[in-house]
């Protein structure tokens, strides 16, 4: 008898709404204007976002309807599969049952199109002809480039310089979709030139790339600025992941005791975990939620809860979140998508309320888990996803040590087919482990604004 491994849904099961966890939290801190210290207005936010996205960002409504055109595009790859990792369970000799929600089947190999497509949709309807973005590992840039091509729009991407050189195939993918890709910091913007003047060898950061993208968006209204993570509406868009997983776990006749997601900006983690948290808050089973972040950029485990900018140059509004400071520059680890100095305010709030815990994991330990997973399940995971795998493996090993059978669900946020150079370094023993320069950490924390420190 063949035991079931994949739990599939059909296109009719694609969620009809995005879930907004802000509706279920007692307190959501307002976004503040750095000029006045007062909550920003919808008009101020509309400088870079369509009104529809501004409304989602500020809303406390529990759900937003997914436009039919967006759901039709989703149908090209959604719902994504839920898979029982029986091979990994055997390799670990654990009594735990392990499942993963696989987003790597998406058109650019990750979960990012879940938000890139609706952002392109709303920008197109608002009359913008191009999309501009920053990207770390290249997954958001690839998704924006793809989404722009669907709607006949231009796309321009500022990619963190170290990832631009580490991951050349992500750049090629963006260019294949018709986008231009610039390594950041660059000489194209004042923000980039300022950073290069101080340090010509600056490796780049998501904060710097964000500043460059924003400066271009501010200077030319035809560009619609897109955000790959952190903002409330982006987290909501990603909840199609967890909503599908809830139905699929029921189809498997199971329910997770533990849900693990990798944590950078936070939208992938939110997308998987928030629907399970919603069920818990409304009387459903209790679930232990784990945010697995890199030890090289530990915003949740070493950051302060404060109001801070999301970009290096201080062009964004101020959000209350766990932050390492907008001037923090993390080491050049291969999980480029997790190198954000702060995390989504909604994720931050959930951690602050004790509804989610965070662990910081080292690069080589994560690649070790990624290789183990690849050999057991046949999928090479993205470096970012190896953090979720490592977190799940640690919990499965704890089950083995304690003789307890628990059900673990983790998010496999994307495949690593474009990251084989990183795996080559790991397999050859030349991949360094990550460490934080205390001076860089101190500089980052010192950059947190004193205006409304929380």
């Amino acid at each position: 008898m063949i035991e079931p491994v994949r739990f599939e849904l059909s296109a009719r099961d694609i969620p009809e709404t995005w879930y907004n966890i802000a509706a279920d939290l007692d307190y959501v801190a307002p976004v503040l204007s750095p000029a006045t210290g007062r909550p920003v207005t919808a008009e101020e936010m509309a400088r870079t976002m369509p009104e529809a996205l501004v409304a989602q960002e500020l809303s406390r409504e529990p759900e937003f309807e997914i436009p039919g055109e967006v759901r039709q595009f989703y149908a090209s790859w959604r719902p994504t599969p839920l898979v029982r990792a029986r091979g990994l369970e055997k390799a670990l000799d654990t009594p735990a049952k392990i499942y993963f929600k696989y987003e790597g089947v998406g058109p650019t190999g990750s979960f990012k199109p879940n938000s890139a497509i609706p952002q392109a949709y709303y920008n197109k309807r608002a009359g913008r002809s191009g999309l501009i973005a920053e990207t770390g590992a290249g997954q958001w840039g690839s998704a924006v480039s793809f989404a722009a091509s669907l709607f006949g729009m231009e796309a321009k991407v500022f990619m963190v310089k170290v990832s631009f050189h580490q991951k050349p195939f992500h750049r090629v993918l963006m260019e294949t979709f018709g986008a231009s890709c610039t390594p950041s910091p660059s000489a194209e913007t004042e923000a980039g030139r300022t950073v290069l003047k101080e340090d010509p060898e600056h490796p780049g950061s998501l904060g710097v790339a964000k500043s460059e993208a924003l400066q271009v968006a501010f200077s030319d209204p035809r560009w619609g600025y897109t955000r790959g993570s952190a903002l409330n509406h982006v987290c909501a868009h990603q909840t199609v992941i967890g909503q599908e997983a809830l139905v699929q776990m029921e189809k498997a006749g199971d329910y997770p005791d533990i849900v693990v997601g990798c944590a950078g900006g936070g939208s992938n983690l939110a997308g998987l975990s928030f629907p399970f948290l919603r069920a818990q808050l409304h009387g459903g089973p209790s679930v232990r939620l784990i945010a697995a972040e890199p030890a090289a950029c530990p915003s949740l485990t070493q950051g302060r809860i404060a109001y801070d900018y999301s970009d290096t140059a201080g062009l964004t509004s101020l959000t209350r979140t766990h932050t390492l400071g907008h001037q923090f520059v993390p080491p050049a680890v291969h999980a480029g998508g997790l190198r954000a100095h702060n995390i989504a305010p909604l994720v931050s709030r959930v951690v602050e309320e004790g509804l989610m815990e965070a662990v910081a994991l080292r690069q080589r330990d994560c690649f070790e888990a990624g290789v183990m997973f690849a050999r057991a399940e046949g999928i090479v995971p993205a470096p970012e996803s190896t953090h979720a795998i490592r977190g799940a493996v640690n919990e499965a090993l704890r089950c083995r040590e304690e003789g307890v059978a628990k059900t673990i669900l983790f998010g496999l946020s994307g495949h690593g087919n474009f990251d084989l150079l990183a795996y080559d370094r790991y397999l050859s023993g030349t991949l360094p482990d990550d460490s934080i320069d205390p001076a860089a950490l101190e500089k980052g924390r010192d950059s947190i604004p004193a205006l409304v420190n929380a």
Side-chain angles (χ1 to χ4, degrees):
M1 176 180 176
I2 297 176
E3 296 178 321
V5 173
R6 292 170 68 97
F7 301 92
E8 304 273 15
L9 302 175
S10 68
R12 66 176 177 271
D13 298 309
I14 295 172
E16 296 182 357
T17 61
W18 294 301
Y19 166 55
N20 177 26
I21 198 173
D24 287 319
L25 298 178
D26 292 334
Y27 175 72
V28 176
V31 180
L32 300 183
S33 164
T36 66
R38 294 192 295 268
V40 297
T41 65
E43 291 73 19
E44 289 173 312
M45 280 193 171
R47 289 183 66 195
T48 58
M49 280 195 293
E51 290 183 5
L53 292 179
V54 172
Q56 292 178 11
E57 186 65 23
L58 298 177
S59 177
R60 296 294 297 270
E61 292 297 317
E63 294 178 327
F64 312 131
E65 182 179 355
I66 303 176
E69 189 174 355
V70 173
R71 292 185 77 236
Q72 185 61 61
F73 282 126
Y74 278 174
S76 296
W77 78 96
R78 303 212 69 85
T80 58
L82 179 82
V83 183
R84 173 83 180 269
R86 293 185 180 273
L88 184 61
E89 293 170 8
K90 183 178 180 181
L92 295 172
D93 189 26
T94 178
K97 289 182 286 184
I98 306 174
Y99 297 83
F100 62 92
K101 179 68 166 162
Y102 185 37
E103 291 296 298
V105 298
T108 60
S110 84
F111 69 102
K112 292 293 190 179
N114 298 334
S115 186
I117 288 175
Q119 288 190 53
Y121 168 83
Y122 289 119
N123 273 284
K124 181 74 171 182
R125 287 174 64 89
R128 293 187 169 100
S129 60
L131 301 177
I132 192 160
E134 74 278 348
T135 191
Q139 291 170 337
W140 178 243
S142 299
V144 168
S145 303
F146 169 65
S149 71
L150 292 180
F151 289 93
M153 304 172 76
E154 294 182 67
K156 181 175 178 58
V157 180
F158 287 94
M159 186 174 183
V160 174
K161 184 191 293 183
V162 64
S163 293
F164 182 91
H165 295 299
Q166 285 179 342
K167 305 169 187 290
F169 300 120
H170 284 285
R171 172 187 58 79
V172 174
L173 185 60
M174 292 179 232
E175 292 173 348
T176 300
F177 288 127
S180 65
C181 182
T182 301
S184 172
S186 76
E188 293 186 13
T189 69
E190 181 60 32
R193 291 190 292 271
T194 298
V195 171
L196 290 172
K197 183 177 180 180
E198 181 179 334
D199 179 8
E201 302 303 318
H202 195 290
S205 70
L206 280 167
V208 173
K210 193 170 297 175
S211 295
E212 295 209 80
L214 279 167
Q215 284 194 335
V216 173
F218 286 149
S219 66
D220 189 343
R222 71 191 175 93
W223 291 108
Y225 174 61
T226 62
R227 284 290 295 272
S229 194
L231 292 187
N232 296 1
H233 68 272
V234 184
C235 291
H237 297 165
Q238 295 297 346
T239 60
V240 293
I241 302 171
Q243 290 184 71
E244 291 175 4
L246 274 166
V247 178
Q248 289 164 312
M249 290 299 301
E250 183 178 0
K251 194 171 184 179
D254 212 340
Y255 200 86
D257 300 293
I258 301 168
V259 175
V260 187
C262 58
S267 65
N268 159 72
L269 169 67
L272 177 65
S273 66
F274 281 0
F276 287 94
L277 181 55
R278 180 192 200 182
Q280 175 182 315
L281 294 174
H282 288 267
S286 178
V287 180
R288 188 168 155 233
L289 307 179
I290 301 176
E293 66 180 6
C297 196
S299 60
L300 286 170
T301 53
Q302 293 195 47
R304 287 167 47 193
I305 300 176
Y307 272 98
D308 197 7
Y309 299 100
S310 296
D311 73 303
T312 299
L315 301 177
T316 63
S317 302
L318 296 163
T319 56
R320 185 180 186 276
T321 178
H322 284 76
T323 180
L324 297 166
H326 62 281
Q327 294 288 336
F328 176 71
V329 179
V333 294
H334 280 273
L338 305 185
R339 296 174 73 246
H341 67 270
N342 62 354
I343 198 161
L346 291 175
V347 171
S348 181
R349 185 63 191 174
V350 167
V351 172
E352 188 178 4
E353 291 189 8
L355 298 169
M356 178 185 288
E357 61 191 84
V359 294
L361 303 171
R362 300 188 70 85
Q363 178 166 242
R364 284 206 292 258
D365 289 342
C366 292
F367 269 89
E368 177 187 51
V371 169
M372 179 190 303
F373 177 82
R375 293 174 180 176
E377 299 294 334
I379 301 170
V380 177
E384 293 80 8
S385 304
T386 63
H387 291 70
I389 296 171
R390 180 79 260 175
V393 165
N394 288 349
E395 294 303 319
L397 291 175
R398 183 175 290 113
C399 288
R400 186 181 71 185
E401 293 165 4
E402 297 176 356
V404 177
K406 292 186 177 181
T407 297
I408 302 167
L409 168 64
F410 71 87
L412 185 56
S413 56
H415 68 64
N417 295 354
F418 296 150
D419 299 286
L420 295 182
L421 293 176
Y423 279 92
D424 183 51
R425 295 187 70 190
Y426 172 76
L427 294 169
S428 66
T430 60
L431 182 72
D433 221 354
D434 40 56
S435 60
I436 298 179
D437 180 358
L441 194 58
E442 182 179 0
K443 179 181 178 181
R445 288 172 172 166
D446 287 346
S447 71
I448 298 173
L451 173 65
V452 280
N453 237 1

